[in-house]
């Protein structure tokens, strides 16, 4: 009988919620809930009303609370592009529905972290690192590396790229950055994103990236964008007015600086003495061999070699064509199974999960709120608590890769 109960939703809010979720075409939404597009449009015009069950389905698709759909009028919210940095190939206001949900979730977690920290009396760490486009990438990378406090000796001892990824993530989080991962967004749209909002800025990593080394590079790439924003060298997408050519220079600066963070000069020089290759004589295999020493991607290593003068720009372009051809021939990799607790830790991060549990234990939030913040069922919360006590496990398998 519940399926026939009409939902008292507001037609104009229904249309607003659909467009805010990134569905300009009503057909995609109508198909997901099993109704003709004409009926969905009739709901939005107020000619018909959805059932309660249909309204619940719409709320889930739009990633809104059901109560929002019953507001007397659409809420006034800042454009989504006021939260994230400019992304190559992504037009503000035309983000995919999946990316819009990802940015909203990360923004909501950031707001929760600020609120819970205040309720518990914890001071928010101040992210202080800055970068200027007038600087050379190498000294900026060296400065960021020092702030991260990851020694060359420690890096040499990492057993695999997943251990490296966890350590880099932990180091960035210690700088006062919330590091989240988001699922379901295509890699062709975005690999990483920064929410340059202070305090508690956010770096988001696409969990569809199966390579831990690629995640590490994206993390450092976004850290550089964050440092640029902290120095007022970069603005959120809504306010960014650089031409595409000028923006490509910003992206190149971030790439070269990120590679300098991951591949320090002294370690590189030592490795080049062991693996001597003439300038512009690098092939895919030799770059892969060198990249494995640092637990980084071959593309990051090639970028570093170009900046270090081991490749000319023309040589890099030739290598890049060979690399793209090599990657295209690789078999498609698929992620393994991740438990609900492992997904929560991968997506929300250990610091955020710990903060939520402490707020729950201090009676600052309810169990329902804790589950909502963590996107976790209550029967898994105690397992999460145990996992946080044990600490991150050493493994070659990406526990946080599942979508």
């Amino acid at each position: 009988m519940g399926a026939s109960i009409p939902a008292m939703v507001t037609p104009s809010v229904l249309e607003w919620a659909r467009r805010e979720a990134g569905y300009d075409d009503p057909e995609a939404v109508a198909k997901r809930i099993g109704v003709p597009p004409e009926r969905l449009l009739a709901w939005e015009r107020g000619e018909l009303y959805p059932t309660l069950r249909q309204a619940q389905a719409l709320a889930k698709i739009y990633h809104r609370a059901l109560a929002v759909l019953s507001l007397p009028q659409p809420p006034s919210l800042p454009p989504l592009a006021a939260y994230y940095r400019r992304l190559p190939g992504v037009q503000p206001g035309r983000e995919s529905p999946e990316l819009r949900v990802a940015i909203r979730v990360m923004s909501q977690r950031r707001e929760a972290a600020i609120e819970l920290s205040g309720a518990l009396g914890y001071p928010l760490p101040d992210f202080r690192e800055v970068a200027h486009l007038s600087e050379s990438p190498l000294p900026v990378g060296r400065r960021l590396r020092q702030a991260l406090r990851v020694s060359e000796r420690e890096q040499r001892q990492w057993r695999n790229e997943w251990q490296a990824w966890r350590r880099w993530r932990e180091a960035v989080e210690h700088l006062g950055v919330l590091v989240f991962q988001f699922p379901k967004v295509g890699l062709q749209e975005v690999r990483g994103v920064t929410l340059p909002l202070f305090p508690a800025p956010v770096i988001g990593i696409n969990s569809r990236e199966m390579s831990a080394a690629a995640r590490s590079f994206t993390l450092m790439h976004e850290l550089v964008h964050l440092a640029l924003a902290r120095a007022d060298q970069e603005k959120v997408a809504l306010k960014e007015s650089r031409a595409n050519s000028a923006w490509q220079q910003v992206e190149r600066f971030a790439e070269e600086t990120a590679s300098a963070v991951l591949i320090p000069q002294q370690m590189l020089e030592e490795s080049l003495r062991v693996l001597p290759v003439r300038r512009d004589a690098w092939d895919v295999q030799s770059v892969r061999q060198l990249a494995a020493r640092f637990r980084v991607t071959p593309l990051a290593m090639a970028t570093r070699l170009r900046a270090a003068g081991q490749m000319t720009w023309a040589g890099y372009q030739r290598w890049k064509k060979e690399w793209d051809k090599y990657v295209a021939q690789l078999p498609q990799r698929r992620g393994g199974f991740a438990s609900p607790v492992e997904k929560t830790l991968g997506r929300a991060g250990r610091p955020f999960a710990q903060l939520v549990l402490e707020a729950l234990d201090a009676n600052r939030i309810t169990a329902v709120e804790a589950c909502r913040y963590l996107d976790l069922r209550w029967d898994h919360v105690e397992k999460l608590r145990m996992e946080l006590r044990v600490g991150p496990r050493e493994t070659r398998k990406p526990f946080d890769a599942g979508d």
Side-chain angles (χ1 to χ4, degrees), residues 223-244:
L223 181 66
V224 176
H225 280 290
L226 199 56
L228 287 170
R230 196 71 177 93
D232 203 28
Q233 297 279 288
E234 189 176 332
K235 302 182 184 299
V236 293
L238 189 66
K239 298 181 179 179
E240 186 60 65
S241 58
R242 287 184 179 93
N244 286 336

Side-chain angles (χ1 to χ4, degrees), residues 223-280:
L223 181 66
V224 176
H225 280 290
L226 199 56
L228 287 170
R230 196 71 177 93
D232 203 28
Q233 297 279 288
E234 189 176 332
K235 302 182 184 299
V236 293
L238 189 66
K239 298 181 179 179
E240 186 60 65
S241 58
R242 287 184 179 93
N244 286 336
S245 57
W247 185 252
Q248 288 302 318
Q249 294 297 322
V250 177
E251 285 291 299
R252 185 178 300 176
F253 176 88
E255 287 178 2
E256 293 186 2
T257 304
S259 66
V261 175
L262 296 168
I263 309 165
Q265 184 69 23
Q266 183 175 342
M267 284 183 68
L268 178 62
E269 291 175 355
E270 292 173 1
S271 297
L272 289 175
R273 285 194 289 269
V274 176
L275 185 67
V277 177
R278 289 183 298 103
R279 191 185 192 194
D280 279 352

Side-chain angles (χ1 to χ4, degrees), residues 150-166:
V150 175
S151 68
E152 295 179 8
R153 179 180 179 182
E154 180 184 0
Q155 186 170 358
R156 289 188 180 96
Q157 294 174 343
W158 290 337
R159 290 187 290 276
N160 55 65
E161 63 181 36
W162 289 102
Q163 184 182 8
W165 153 247
R166 285 192 298 272

